[in-house]
């Protein structure tokens, strides 16, 4: 065990004390106060886990977790404002001022029969025993504002080496909680660290245990990889044969070439490069991940050896919907991703005009149209760069048209029409489907002729249209 003690009588100790001060200045004062109050009551307490790792890496922690030798009931006696978070596992949330902190008793864990959670936990008095149950060495470090670090598994060294290494036996850690397999890849994607050899062997030995993990938990880790600064780590999931538990359709994308003047990569490589060139949001990254998955099933090769993927956006949209539902994504995300996939290639197949832009905006809306341009940019950046400029010009042309539409208040959806369904009923058109059909006809008219969006003109147009079509649009 490596515990640093402060002694101001030496130069080294003064340097150490300054180092602690630098760290302490970054820790919320409430967290330090909680530690002081626990220790004033006769117990130990430390900051622990990912927040210590982030502190050492000069990253901003999302949460500040505290571990202690005090039992949950003792914590609840020390602090006036608490609530049970995971009391059966020793966790109580303490509220100090307006801040909430999870405080967990030192513990060791029993058998993991479901490969996710221990059947029972046992409270202990030794911080090193508590650290021994954690996943990776970089997360098995505790910190005290006065005494410094407790680092029995050399996590500080591994952070400096940029290495992800399991605490003790990798196979045991992954057998306890199979989700740690994906956490290893996720940390590698987020931090840029390499997974060390024995940990990789543990992943390979235990990967089938992912079948015991819920879709929701797998989804959450996978999304963190997707929106990380290294989404290309999906390739590491492929190499480690983990994709079959997350997104098996993508495995086939590695086998689909794109022998075409506009492409230089196979479908999988193109997808990952596109993701790396895209905005790190869930909707955009999932769109890039799935935008060409339909190419796996639509590839044809002509007599000149050129590959074609006719109607692949439609097929990609269908597959994407199924995959996102399987991953338990919310309906808003599924709808947005599917619409972006449907139109991601549209600008290539159609002459770009303001009318074209308005028709797309009519379907997907203003905000999603902006996301569509981001998707098209990322897609273009993952193709043959010798043919890039015309694609960038097409994207900019669409952006300019869209800005004109917004600046001039040109109508592109029914809510912007100068008439409503009630107006049509008032002039004698019966209720029913015909009202919606006439409003759609009116919208198409003003999309082409914005100045026609006047109430009198549109009412006359709709009535004439209704009569000419024999009361059918």
């Amino acid at each position: 065990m490596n515990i640093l003690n402060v002694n101001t009588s030496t130069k080294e100790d003064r340097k150490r004390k300054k180092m602690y001060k630098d760290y302490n200045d970054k820790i919320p004062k409430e967290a330090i106060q909680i530690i002081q109050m626990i220790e004033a009551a006769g117990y130990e307490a430390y900051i622990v886990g990912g927040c210590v790792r982030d502190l050492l890496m000069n990253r901003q922690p999302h949460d500040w977790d505290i571990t202690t030798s005090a039992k949950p009931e003792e914590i609840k006696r020390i602090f006036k404002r608490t609530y049970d978070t995971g009391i059966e596992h020793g966790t109580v949330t303490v509220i100090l001022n307006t801040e909430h902190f999870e405080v967990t008793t030192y513990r060791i864990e029993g058998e993991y029969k479901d490969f996710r959670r221990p059947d029972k936990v046992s409270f202990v008095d030794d911080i090193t025993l508590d650290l021994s149950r954690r996943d990776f060495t970089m997360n098995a470090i505790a910190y005290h504002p006065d005494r410094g670090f407790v680092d029995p598994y050399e996590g500080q060294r591994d952070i400096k080496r940029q290495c992800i290494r399991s605490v003790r036996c990798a196979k045991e850690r992954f057998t306890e909680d199979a989700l740690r397999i994906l956490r290893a890849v996720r940390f590698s994607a987020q931090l840029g660290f390499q997974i060390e050899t024995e940990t990789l062997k543990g992943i390979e030995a235990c990967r089938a245990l992912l079948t015991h993990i819920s879709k929701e938990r797998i989804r959450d880790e996978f999304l963190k990889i997707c929106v990380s600064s290294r989404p290309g780590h999906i390739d590491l999931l492929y190499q480690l044969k983990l994709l079959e538990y997350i997104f098996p359709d993508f495995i086939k994308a590695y086998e689909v070439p794109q022998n075409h003047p506009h492409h230089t990569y196979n479908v999988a490589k193109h997808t990952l490069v596109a993701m790396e060139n895209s905005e790190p949001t869930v909707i955009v990254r999932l769109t890039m991940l799935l935008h060409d998955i339909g190419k796996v099933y639509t590839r044809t090769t002509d007599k000149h050896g050129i590959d074609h993927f006719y109607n692949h956006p439609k097929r990609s949209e269908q597959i994407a919907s199924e995959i996102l539902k399987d991953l338990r994504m919310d309906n808003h995300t599924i709808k947005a991703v599917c619409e972006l996939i449907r139109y991601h290639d549209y600008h290539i197949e159609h002459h770009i005009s303001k009318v074209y832009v308005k028709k797309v905006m009519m379907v997907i809306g203003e905000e999603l149209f902006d996301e569509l341009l981001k998707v098209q940019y990322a897609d273009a950046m993952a193709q043959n760069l010798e043919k890039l400029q015309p694609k960038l010009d097409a994207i900019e042309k669409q952006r300019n048209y869209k800005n004109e539409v917004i600046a001039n208040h040109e109508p592109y959806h029914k809510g912007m029409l100068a008439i409503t369904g009630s107006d049509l009923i008032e002039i004698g058109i019966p209720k029913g489907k015909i009202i919606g059909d006439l409003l759609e006809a009116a919208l198409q008219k003003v999309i082409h002729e914005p100045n026609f969006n006047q109430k009198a003109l549109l009412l006359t147009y709709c009535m004439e249209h209704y009569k000419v079509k024999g009361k059918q649009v």
Side-chain angles (χ1 to χ4, degrees):
M1 181 172 66
N2 175 25
I3 301 181
L4 304 179
N5 296 305
V6 177
N7 183 334
T8 56
S9 62
T10 68
K11 181 178 180 181
E12 181 180 348
D13 289 336
R14 286 193 296 272
K15 180 179 178 182
R16 198 173 285 163
K17 186 174 181 180
K18 182 183 182 304
M19 178 183 69
Y20 296 157
K21 182 181 185 306
D22 291 342
Y23 288 138
N24 294 347
D25 287 344
K26 298 175 183 177
I27 299 172
K29 64 181 185 299
E30 292 87 356
I32 293 178
Q33 188 177 348
I34 288 171
I35 290 173
Q36 292 169 339
M37 292 174 70
I38 292 173
E39 297 204 334
Y43 305 100
E44 289 182 349
Y46 293 85
I47 303 289
V48 72
C51 57
V52 178
R53 177 200 69 228
D54 290 343
L55 199 62
L56 287 163
M57 295 180 64
N58 199 30
R59 289 161 51 97
Q60 180 59 47
H62 296 294
D63 301 295
W64 295 90
D65 295 327
I66 296 168
T67 187
T68 178
S69 59
K71 304 297 189 294
E73 60 271 18
E74 293 159 344
I75 293 298
K76 294 167 82 169
R77 281 197 295 267
I78 295 169
F79 298 96
K80 294 180 179 179
R81 301 170 65 202
T82 68
Y83 58 89
D84 296 348
T85 307
I87 195 74
E88 70 279 6
H89 294 110
T91 301
V92 175
T93 294
V94 173
I95 306 172
L96 207 58
N97 297 329
T98 59
E99 302 299 318
H100 296 230
F101 298 88
E102 286 193 355
V103 179
T104 303
T105 303
Y106 300 162
R107 72 190 194 203
I108 55 175
E109 297 167 341
E111 188 178 359
Y112 288 71
K113 290 182 180 178
D114 64 354
F115 307 102
R116 179 68 188 103
R117 295 188 182 281
D119 293 342
K120 66 176 182 177
V121 300
S122 301
F123 299 140
V124 295
D125 295 322
D126 187 349
I127 180 65
T128 58
L129 286 176
D130 181 85
L131 296 175
S132 72
R133 67 179 176 81
R134 295 177 182 266
D135 53 4
F136 306 111
T137 60
M138 64 182 183
N139 297 331
I141 309 169
Y143 175 77
H144 191 280
D146 297 324
R147 297 191 295 273
F149 296 97
V150 181
D151 185 10
Y153 299 102
E154 299 185 309
Q156 293 174 88
R157 184 197 67 169
D158 286 340
I159 289 172
K160 290 178 181 176
R161 293 193 306 159
Q162 298 189 332
C163 169
I164 296 171
R165 181 167 62 92
S166 292
V167 171
R168 298 183 293 141
C169 174
K171 188 174 179 180
E172 288 180 8
R173 298 292 78 74
F174 295 137
T175 300
E176 291 168 350
D177 181 357
L179 191 65
R180 289 170 173 169
I181 292 170
L182 297 185
R183 280 168 60 84
V185 179
R186 187 252 291 180
F187 281 129
S188 180
Q190 290 177 327
L191 304 176
F193 287 13
Q194 297 295 311
I195 304 173
E196 64 92 34
T197 303
E198 291 304 311
T199 303
L200 285 173
K201 290 180 181 178
I203 289 173
E204 292 170 356
C206 298
R207 59 182 170 234
L209 297 179
L210 285 172
T211 56
H212 298 280
I213 304 301
S214 71
K215 288 287 186 180
E216 290 83 356
R217 292 188 176 275
I218 287 176
R219 172 203 65 205
D220 291 346
E221 292 298 325
F222 183 60
L223 288 181
K224 289 175 183 177
I225 295 170
C226 288
V227 300
S228 74
S229 56
R230 299 169 186 83
H233 267 55
I234 291 171
D235 193 54
L236 180 57
L237 295 174
Y238 171 73
Q239 294 171 27
L240 294 173
K241 298 182 180 179
L242 302 177
L243 276 181
E244 64 184 272
Y245 306 101
I246 309 168
F247 182 15
D249 289 82
F250 195 68
I251 297 171
K252 303 171 186 175
Y254 282 88
E255 303 166 2
V256 181
Q258 297 188 96
N259 299 315
H260 193 282
H262 284 273
H263 284 280
T264 56
Y265 305 121
N266 66 31
V267 172
K269 178 67 174 176
H270 163 75
T271 297
L272 299 182
V273 174
M275 291 181 74
E276 289 167 351
N277 279 281
S278 68
E279 188 176 82
T281 64
V282 170
I283 286 176
V284 171
R285 285 282 170 86
L286 285 178
T287 300
M288 301 324 301
L289 174 67
L290 297 164
H291 77 289
D292 275 355
I293 193 64
K295 287 185 173 180
V296 170
Y297 306 99
T298 57
R299 177 176 173 247
T300 60
T301 305
D302 65 23
K303 63 182 180 181
H304 303 292
I306 303 299
D307 290 335
H308 301 278
F309 303 91
Y310 299 116
N311 296 318
H312 81 269
K314 182 177 180 180
R315 190 66 187 275
S316 296
E317 180 187 358
Q318 293 168 344
I319 297 169
S321 178
E322 294 170 3
I323 290 169
L324 296 176
K325 287 176 183 176
D326 186 57
L327 289 174
R328 313 290 198 270
M329 294 301 300
D330 62 275
N331 290 334
H332 169 75
T333 298
I334 295 173
K335 183 175 185 292
V337 170
C338 286
E339 287 184 347
L340 290 172
I341 290 173
R342 187 189 319 157
Y343 287 100
H344 81 272
D345 234 14
Y346 204 68
H347 65 296
I348 295 174
E349 302 170 2
H350 294 75
H351 175 67
I352 295 172
S353 65
K354 191 186 290 188
V355 168
Y356 150 77
V357 167
K358 285 191 280 189
K359 286 187 174 182
V360 176
M361 290 174 67
M362 175 182 68
V363 178
I364 68 176
E366 176 186 346
E367 291 185 10
L368 209 57
F369 189 86
D370 290 335
E371 301 302 287
L372 178 63
L373 298 185
K374 297 172 186 176
V375 166
Q376 292 177 355
Y377 171 81
D379 195 17
M381 293 299 293
Q383 298 174 9
N384 184 348
L385 296 183
E386 292 182 0
K387 298 181 179 294
L388 175 63
Q389 194 56 51
K391 297 169 187 175
L392 297 183
D393 292 342
I395 293 168
E396 189 61 24
K397 191 173 183 181
Q398 292 175 88
R399 181 178 288 109
N400 291 337
Y401 279 138
K402 179 257 182 183
N403 290 339
E404 285 181 24
V405 169
I406 300 302
N408 297 333
H409 304 288
E410 297 182 30
Y412 59 87
H413 63 78
K414 290 179 184 177
M416 300 175 76
L417 288 172
I419 60 171
T420 66
S422 297
D423 294 323
L424 296 180
I425 293 171
E426 285 181 9
I427 64 171
I429 297 174
K431 295 180 180 180
K433 181 177 179 293
I434 189 67
I435 297 294
D437 291 343
L438 287 171
L439 289 175
E440 180 62 32
L443 177 61
Q444 294 301 322
K445 178 70 172 177
V446 300
I447 280 178
H448 288 83
E449 301 177 46
N451 293 332
F452 202 82
N453 192 29
Q454 300 176 46
K455 186 172 183 178
L457 291 175
L458 288 177
L459 289 176
T460 300
Y461 173 81
C462 288
M463 181 55 76
E464 290 176 350
H465 208 56
Y466 175 63
K467 291 178 179 178
V468 168
K469 296 296 182 180
K471 301 187 178 181
Q472 291 184 9
V473 178

